[in-house]
Amino acid sequence: MLQLIAIAAGAAIAGVLGLAARKPDTFRVQRTAVIDAPPEKIHPLIEDFRRWTEWSPWEKLDPGMQRTYGGAARGAGATYAWEGKKSGSGRMEIRESSPARTRIQLDFIKPFEAHNMATFTLEPRGASTQVTWAMDGPSPFISKVMGVFVNMENLVGKDFEAGLANMKSAAEG
């Protein structure tokens, strides 16, 4: 009986590792929303980390989170680091900022180390703006194994959708 259990467990582990090995080496999560405001009204919400408290879905997740702002006040060179019990720790730095596109280096430290790039693209659509929030990065093998059990596209995508809805309220209000 123990031998059968060991064989079944080994087969299950091999199956999970096999599924993980087939996953891509990179990932991309992207969501888009139309906001009834020009890019000039939306861009300041993105390029100034101090304004992320108005719309970011993660800002209210951990009320005791410690925030540290550095570098430029906004735009390229601005930095934002956080540390909290629920939110883990990490750092962001704006690498490029214009009314059309903002690129942010996103480095998670805890609970898992990851180094990704977030991009906000703002495209005028008459009196409105189409805002696309995307995150790209490498998928190390441990992330691929986790991806067998957790769909990161849906998990992170829900947060992006909530953030874009909050941004819409902030920009249109």
Side-chain angles (χ1 to χ4, degrees), residues 18-26 139 143-150:
L19 288 172
R22 291 189 184 121
K23 293 198 171 283
D25 292 333
T26 60
S139 288
S143 295
K144 294 178 186 184
V145 171
M146 290 172 47
V148 171
F149 302 101
V150 178

Side-chain angles (χ1 to χ4, degrees), residues 2-3 38 50 65 79 82 84 97 123 129 165:
L2 287 176
Q3 201 172 23
R50 288 168 184 83
M65 180 170 61
T79 64
W82 71 91
S97 184
E123 297 178 38
T129 304

Side-chain angles (χ1 to χ4, degrees), residues 34-50:
V34 175
I35 297 177
D36 294 329
E40 296 78 27
K41 188 162 183 182
I42 301 165
H43 181 245
L45 295 170
I46 299 167
E47 75 162 348
D48 183 349
F49 285 132
R50 288 168 184 83

Side-chain angles (χ1 to χ4, degrees), residues 31-68:
R31 293 294 186 274
T32 300
V34 175
I35 297 177
D36 294 329
E40 296 78 27
K41 188 162 183 182
I42 301 165
H43 181 245
L45 295 170
I46 299 167
E47 75 162 348
D48 183 349
F49 285 132
R50 288 168 184 83
R51 297 207 51 199
W52 281 45
T53 56
E54 297 175 42
W55 62 269
S56 173
W58 298 292
E59 288 294 326
K60 292 177 180 64
L61 176 69
D62 190 348
M65 180 170 61
Q66 299 296 310
R67 296 167 183 85
T68 306

